Amino acid sequence: MADRSSAGSSKWLRRFHQPGPGAPRLVCLPHAGGSASFYFPVSKALSPAVDVRVAQYPGRQDRAGEPLAHSVRELAQGVFDALDERDRTPPALFGHSMGALVAFELARLLEHAGRPPAVVFLSGRAGPSAQRTESLHLDDDERLVEEVVRLDGTDAAVFQDEELRRLILPVLRADYRAVDTYRPTPGPRLGCPLVVLTGDADPRVTPDEARAWARETDGPFECHVHPGGHFYLVAQQQAVLAAVGAALRRYAPGAGAAL
C-alpha cells in the first residue's frame, strides 16, 4: 500500500516501499495518461536501497475528482511544492515521455531554488530543441485512442469498456494538450548530470532526437539506446534499472553497494 505520510501530507507523491536508512531519493514522473502505479515495479526492484517517490498527477486513480492540469509546468510546480525543502539531500529524477518534460521543468525549479537534483533521467522523449510540432489533443477520440494503442501505452481492450473510456479520455486529452503546447522558456542550462534513455524503434523519438537533451546541461551527459518502442522500459526493465543504479552510484549521495 502506498505511504503518503512519508512524503509529507501532499497528495502529489506516493511511496510504495519503505527505504533503508540514508537511501538516496528517486522521484519518478509518469507519462501522458499514466499514474503512480506504473512505477510500482521500479519501486519494488530498487527498494530498500533507493527511496522511490512517485508523482500522482491530478485526475487519476485516487485523485480522479480533481481538476486536470493544463501544462507541463503546472505538473512540475505541483511536484516541486510537494518535495520537503527541509530534506537537503539532492533527489534524483526519472521521467518517461511526458514525464521527461515534467522532470526537466522540475529540475529547473530545483536548481533555481538552490536545491539542484543529483541526476535527471529522461526517457522516451526528444530534447526540447528537437521537439516535434504536434496537435494530437485537438484530434477526435478515435485518433487519440489509435495513437495510445500504437504506442502500447494502454491495452486496446480498455477502450472497449465505455465507462473506462469516459474516465481515461479526458485525462489523455489534457496530458496531450500539456505536451503539445509545451515550449521551454529561455533560461540557463542545467548544471546537473542528464542520463537519457530511449528505444531504438520508438515512433515518437529517434535516438538523435533523444541525444538533443545534451544541449540542456553543462553537466555530464550520457545516452542509452535500448531495443524496443515507446514503452521499451517495460520489456527492458532489468537493463534500465542497471543504468539507473550505475548513475545513482556515481551521482547520488548515499547510493552504495546495495545498488
Side-chain angles (χ1 to χ4, degrees):
M1 182 177 294
D3 171 15
R4 294 192 213 175
S5 62
S6 57
S9 60
S10 171
K11 51 198 171 183
W12 279 85
L13 293 173
R14 303 288 180 271
R15 177 195 266 166
F16 296 115
H17 302 89
Q18 287 296 319
R25 286 183 296 162
L26 177 65
V27 179
C28 298
L29 296 313
H31 54 279
S35 59
S37 59
F38 178 79
Y39 285 103
F40 182 90
V42 172
S43 177
K44 183 177 181 181
L46 293 179
S47 298
V50 179
D51 181 3
V52 179
R53 314 285 184 97
V54 186
Q56 183 76 300
Y57 304 143
R60 54 216 83 197
Q61 294 183 333
D62 57 324
R63 301 190 68 186
E66 297 182 35
L68 297 166
H70 296 293
S71 70
V72 167
R73 288 186 189 84
E74 184 179 344
L75 293 170
Q77 187 69 54
V79 179
F80 175 81
D81 292 341
L83 292 173
D84 189 347
E85 64 182 36
R86 295 170 298 178
D87 189 341
R88 306 306 294 181
T89 304
L93 311 178
F94 186 107
H96 177 66
S97 195
M98 179 183 77
L101 297 178
V102 178
F104 175 60
E105 288 296 330
L106 177 56
R108 298 176 86 179
L109 288 170
L110 287 166
E111 290 207 344
H112 182 73
R115 297 152 51 197
V119 56
V120 180
F121 300 93
L122 302 161
S123 169
R125 188 72 201 174
S129 63
Q131 184 169 302
R132 306 175 189 183
T133 301
E134 295 180 300
S135 56
L136 279 166
H137 70 288
L138 298 176
D139 289 342
D140 61 26
D141 288 351
E142 292 308 317
R143 175 69 184 89
L144 203 56
V145 168
E146 178 185 313
E147 175 66 11
V148 172
V149 171
R150 181 174 76 102
L151 297 177
D152 290 329
T154 303
D155 191 324
V158 169
F159 294 105
Q160 303 306 312
D161 184 308
E162 284 302 317
E163 184 175 353
L164 288 176
R165 187 183 175 101
R166 284 196 299 271
L167 290 172
I168 293 170
L169 279 174
V171 174
L172 277 174
R173 191 171 299 282
D175 287 353
Y176 271 101
R177 180 177 65 239
V179 172
D180 290 345
T181 59
Y182 173 75
R183 300 293 182 273
T185 56
R189 287 156 60 96
L190 295 173
C192 61
L194 297 186
V195 177
V196 169
L197 307 101
T198 193
D200 62 1
D202 188 340
R204 303 290 295 170
V205 53
T206 67
D208 282 344
E209 288 171 332
R211 293 185 187 101
W213 282 108
R215 302 168 192 160
E216 308 303 325
T217 186
D218 290 323
F221 177 84
E222 56 191 83
C223 182
H224 302 264
V225 180
H226 297 278
H230 192 62
F231 283 91
Y232 74 93
L233 69 173
V234 176
Q236 300 296 325
Q237 178 178 299
Q238 187 173 354
V240 169
L241 293 182
V244 168
L248 289 176
R249 285 193 296 271
R250 284 196 298 277
Y251 303 121
L259 283 169

PDB file of all heavy atoms in Angstrom, residues 97-111:
ATOM      1  N   SER A  97       8.545   9.901 -21.197  1.00  0.00           N
ATOM      2  CA  SER A  97       7.663  10.542 -22.166  1.00  0.00           C
ATOM      3  C   SER A  97       7.252  11.920 -21.647  1.00  0.00           C
ATOM      4  O   SER A  97       8.114  12.760 -21.423  1.00  0.00           O
ATOM      5  CB  SER A  97       6.461   9.627 -22.447  1.00  0.00           C
ATOM      6  OG  SER A  97       5.772  10.039 -23.606  1.00  0.00           O
ATOM      7  N   MET A  98       5.962  12.192 -21.432  1.00  0.00           N
ATOM      8  CA  MET A  98       5.587  13.477 -20.846  1.00  0.00           C
ATOM      9  C   MET A  98       6.318  13.706 -19.538  1.00  0.00           C
ATOM     10  O   MET A  98       6.709  14.832 -19.201  1.00  0.00           O
ATOM     11  CB  MET A  98       4.076  13.547 -20.612  1.00  0.00           C
ATOM     12  CG  MET A  98       3.609  14.870 -19.983  1.00  0.00           C
ATOM     13  SD  MET A  98       1.836  14.938 -19.609  1.00  0.00           S
ATOM     14  CE  MET A  98       1.792  13.938 -18.096  1.00  0.00           C
ATOM     15  N   GLY A  99       6.528  12.634 -18.783  1.00  0.00           N
ATOM     16  CA  GLY A  99       7.231  12.731 -17.509  1.00  0.00           C
ATOM     17  C   GLY A  99       8.642  13.257 -17.645  1.00  0.00           C
ATOM     18  O   GLY A  99       9.187  13.858 -16.711  1.00  0.00           O
ATOM     19  N   ALA A 100       9.269  13.048 -18.829  1.00  0.00           N
ATOM     20  CA  ALA A 100      10.610  13.594 -19.051  1.00  0.00           C
ATOM     21  C   ALA A 100      10.571  15.119 -19.083  1.00  0.00           C
ATOM     22  O   ALA A 100      11.458  15.795 -18.551  1.00  0.00           O
ATOM     23  CB  ALA A 100      11.206  13.046 -20.346  1.00  0.00           C
ATOM     24  N   LEU A 101       9.525  15.670 -19.719  1.00  0.00           N
ATOM     25  CA  LEU A 101       9.378  17.130 -19.735  1.00  0.00           C
ATOM     26  C   LEU A 101       9.101  17.656 -18.332  1.00  0.00           C
ATOM     27  O   LEU A 101       9.628  18.701 -17.933  1.00  0.00           O
ATOM     28  CB  LEU A 101       8.245  17.531 -20.677  1.00  0.00           C
ATOM     29  CG  LEU A 101       8.428  17.188 -22.156  1.00  0.00           C
ATOM     30  CD1 LEU A 101       7.195  17.619 -22.950  1.00  0.00           C
ATOM     31  CD2 LEU A 101       9.683  17.831 -22.728  1.00  0.00           C
ATOM     32  N   VAL A 102       8.268  16.932 -17.571  1.00  0.00           N
ATOM     33  CA  VAL A 102       7.995  17.336 -16.191  1.00  0.00           C
ATOM     34  C   VAL A 102       9.279  17.283 -15.369  1.00  0.00           C
ATOM     35  O   VAL A 102       9.566  18.190 -14.578  1.00  0.00           O
ATOM     36  CB  VAL A 102       6.902  16.440 -15.561  1.00  0.00           C
ATOM     37  CG1 VAL A 102       6.663  16.838 -14.104  1.00  0.00           C
ATOM     38  CG2 VAL A 102       5.604  16.523 -16.353  1.00  0.00           C
ATOM     39  N   ALA A 103      10.086  16.234 -15.564  1.00  0.00           N
ATOM     40  CA  ALA A 103      11.349  16.114 -14.840  1.00  0.00           C
ATOM     41  C   ALA A 103      12.286  17.266 -15.175  1.00  0.00           C
ATOM     42  O   ALA A 103      12.968  17.819 -14.296  1.00  0.00           O
ATOM     43  CB  ALA A 103      12.011  14.777 -15.164  1.00  0.00           C
ATOM     44  N   PHE A 104      12.341  17.642 -16.443  1.00  0.00           N
ATOM     45  CA  PHE A 104      13.197  18.748 -16.875  1.00  0.00           C
ATOM     46  C   PHE A 104      12.772  20.055 -16.213  1.00  0.00           C
ATOM     47  O   PHE A 104      13.602  20.794 -15.672  1.00  0.00           O
ATOM     48  CB  PHE A 104      13.140  18.860 -18.399  1.00  0.00           C
ATOM     49  CG  PHE A 104      13.881  20.035 -18.967  1.00  0.00           C
ATOM     50  CD1 PHE A 104      15.242  20.191 -18.765  1.00  0.00           C
ATOM     51  CD2 PHE A 104      13.216  20.991 -19.721  1.00  0.00           C
ATOM     52  CE1 PHE A 104      15.930  21.279 -19.300  1.00  0.00           C
ATOM     53  CE2 PHE A 104      13.888  22.075 -20.260  1.00  0.00           C
ATOM     54  CZ  PHE A 104      15.249  22.225 -20.046  1.00  0.00           C
ATOM     55  N   GLU A 105      11.471  20.350 -16.249  1.00  0.00           N
ATOM     56  CA  GLU A 105      10.989  21.586 -15.633  1.00  0.00           C
ATOM     57  C   GLU A 105      11.137  21.543 -14.114  1.00  0.00           C
ATOM     58  O   GLU A 105      11.428  22.568 -13.481  1.00  0.00           O
ATOM     59  CB  GLU A 105       9.536  21.846 -16.021  1.00  0.00           C
ATOM     60  CG  GLU A 105       9.347  22.264 -17.471  1.00  0.00           C
ATOM     61  CD  GLU A 105      10.013  23.598 -17.787  1.00  0.00           C
ATOM     62  OE1 GLU A 105      10.121  24.455 -16.878  1.00  0.00           O
ATOM     63  OE2 GLU A 105      10.430  23.795 -18.951  1.00  0.00           O
ATOM     64  N   LEU A 106      10.973  20.373 -13.517  1.00  0.00           N
ATOM     65  CA  LEU A 106      11.181  20.231 -12.080  1.00  0.00           C
ATOM     66  C   LEU A 106      12.651  20.462 -11.732  1.00  0.00           C
ATOM     67  O   LEU A 106      12.965  21.119 -10.727  1.00  0.00           O
ATOM     68  CB  LEU A 106      10.734  18.837 -11.632  1.00  0.00           C
ATOM     69  CG  LEU A 106      10.931  18.473 -10.164  1.00  0.00           C
ATOM     70  CD1 LEU A 106      10.261  19.480  -9.230  1.00  0.00           C
ATOM     71  CD2 LEU A 106      10.412  17.056  -9.893  1.00  0.00           C
ATOM     72  N   ALA A 107      13.551  19.958 -12.557  1.00  0.00           N
ATOM     73  CA  ALA A 107      14.980  20.190 -12.336  1.00  0.00           C
ATOM     74  C   ALA A 107      15.309  21.680 -12.398  1.00  0.00           C
ATOM     75  O   ALA A 107      16.112  22.185 -11.597  1.00  0.00           O
ATOM     76  CB  ALA A 107      15.802  19.420 -13.375  1.00  0.00           C
ATOM     77  N   ARG A 108      14.696  22.385 -13.320  1.00  0.00           N
ATOM     78  CA  ARG A 108      14.923  23.838 -13.414  1.00  0.00           C
ATOM     79  C   ARG A 108      14.423  24.548 -12.156  1.00  0.00           C
ATOM     80  O   ARG A 108      15.089  25.465 -11.641  1.00  0.00           O
ATOM     81  CB  ARG A 108      14.231  24.397 -14.664  1.00  0.00           C
ATOM     82  CG  ARG A 108      14.774  23.818 -15.970  1.00  0.00           C
ATOM     83  CD  ARG A 108      14.003  24.330 -17.181  1.00  0.00           C
ATOM     84  NE  ARG A 108      14.537  25.608 -17.649  1.00  0.00           N
ATOM     85  CZ  ARG A 108      14.066  26.274 -18.694  1.00  0.00           C
ATOM     86  NH1 ARG A 108      13.032  25.802 -19.365  1.00  0.00           N
ATOM     87  NH2 ARG A 108      14.606  27.409 -19.074  1.00  0.00           N
ATOM     88  N   LEU A 109      13.274  24.142 -11.664  1.00  0.00           N
ATOM     89  CA  LEU A 109      12.747  24.732 -10.439  1.00  0.00           C
ATOM     90  C   LEU A 109      13.682  24.455  -9.260  1.00  0.00           C
ATOM     91  O   LEU A 109      13.943  25.345  -8.435  1.00  0.00           O
ATOM     92  CB  LEU A 109      11.351  24.176 -10.134  1.00  0.00           C
ATOM     93  CG  LEU A 109      10.212  24.644 -11.035  1.00  0.00           C
ATOM     94  CD1 LEU A 109       8.947  23.824 -10.763  1.00  0.00           C
ATOM     95  CD2 LEU A 109       9.928  26.129 -10.825  1.00  0.00           C
ATOM     96  N   LEU A 110      14.162  23.232  -9.167  1.00  0.00           N
ATOM     97  CA  LEU A 110      15.044  22.866  -8.064  1.00  0.00           C
ATOM     98  C   LEU A 110      16.368  23.631  -8.134  1.00  0.00           C
ATOM     99  O   LEU A 110      16.872  24.116  -7.106  1.00  0.00           O
ATOM    100  CB  LEU A 110      15.299  21.352  -8.079  1.00  0.00           C
ATOM    101  CG  LEU A 110      14.123  20.481  -7.622  1.00  0.00           C
ATOM    102  CD1 LEU A 110      14.366  19.025  -7.998  1.00  0.00           C
ATOM    103  CD2 LEU A 110      13.917  20.599  -6.111  1.00  0.00           C
ATOM    104  N   GLU A 111      16.927  23.752  -9.331  1.00  0.00           N
ATOM    105  CA  GLU A 111      18.189  24.490  -9.465  1.00  0.00           C
ATOM    106  C   GLU A 111      17.985  25.969  -9.139  1.00  0.00           C
ATOM    107  O   GLU A 111      18.823  26.585  -8.476  1.00  0.00           O
ATOM    108  CB  GLU A 111      18.778  24.305 -10.858  1.00  0.00           C
ATOM    109  CG  GLU A 111      19.311  22.900 -11.101  1.00  0.00           C
ATOM    110  CD  GLU A 111      20.433  22.844 -12.130  1.00  0.00           C
ATOM    111  OE1 GLU A 111      20.617  23.822 -12.896  1.00  0.00           O
ATOM    112  OE2 GLU A 111      21.129  21.805 -12.166  1.00  0.00           O
TER     113      GLU A 111
END
